[in-house]
Amino acid sequence: MSKRLPVFFIRAHKSYIVNINKVLSLRINELFLPNNVTIPVSRSYLTNIKKKLLEIAR
């Protein structure tokens, strides 16, 4: 199913797919979203998430 989603959705954990445009911040192993929602980030996805966040910041 994740392959059908637009490119701005990214897997953060085995159980979570996140809209990267809604991410407010990343701290160590957690993504912070609006309304005080916190999503865990597994080590295997952390590098890719950092890369995507840097692309958006440009």
Side-chain angles (χ1 to χ4, degrees):
M1 180 170 163
S2 64
K3 295 188 190 291
R4 293 182 179 174
L5 294 172
V7 295
F8 50 85
F9 283 92
I10 189 166
R11 184 167 297 278
H13 189 274
K14 182 174 119 178
S15 303
Y16 294 94
I17 297 175
V18 178
N19 181 341
I20 200 79
N21 296 320
K22 299 293 183 179
V23 174
L24 300 175
S25 65
L26 167 68
R27 272 191 251 155
I28 304 171
N29 61 347
E30 293 180 313
L31 289 174
F32 294 90
L33 305 174
N35 297 326
N36 295 323
V37 175
T38 306
I39 304 291
V41 177
S42 66
R43 284 179 277 155
S44 59
Y45 297 110
L46 186 59
T47 302
N48 193 33
I49 289 174
K50 286 181 180 179
K51 179 181 161 188
K52 292 285 185 179
L53 288 172
L54 286 173
E55 288 175 8
I56 290 173
R58 292 181 185 168

